[in-house]
Amino acid sequence: SLRVTAIYRSHYYNAKLLGNLIGLRDLQRFVCEQVEIEPGPLTIFSTYAVFDHDGWSLADAKQMLSDARSAYACCTTH
């Protein structure tokens, strides 16, 4: 399986996390299809992370995490 690890120097979670996860998932899926292997874990490290909460509630943050899990899960189950 193909494991993907991304390291971000800085990361704004609300503004960028979901889009970054989807982009990395799509890249992983494309590479796996090209070389005919299964996708493995996707790991992200942030050396500096900001939970930019401008106008976001806790419920919004929980929904974002749920959406991110769903987006990643769709390509790891067959």
Side-chain angles (χ1 to χ4, degrees):
S1 66
L2 176 65
R3 298 171 179 255
V4 173
T5 301
I7 300 173
Y8 288 89
R9 183 172 51 98
S10 63
H11 213 179
Y12 287 88
Y13 271 39
N14 286 354
K16 300 292 181 181
L17 178 64
L18 184 57
N20 289 342
L21 289 174
I22 291 170
L24 289 169
R25 178 212 55 194
D26 290 348
L27 175 62
Q28 182 183 29
R29 183 185 307 166
F30 173 78
V31 171
C32 287
E33 288 172 356
Q34 297 304 306
V35 295
E36 299 178 353
I37 61 174
E38 296 294 318
L42 170 61
T43 304
I44 295 178
F45 293 100
S46 298
T47 61
Y48 175 78
V50 175
F51 188 80
D52 44 328
H53 56 80
D54 186 31
W56 284 63
S57 68
L58 182 56
D60 294 332
K62 287 181 178 181
Q63 184 62 50
M64 177 193 63
L65 291 173
S66 176
D67 292 346
R69 288 185 183 117
S70 296
Y72 183 70
C74 80
C75 75
T76 59
T77 57
H78 295 280

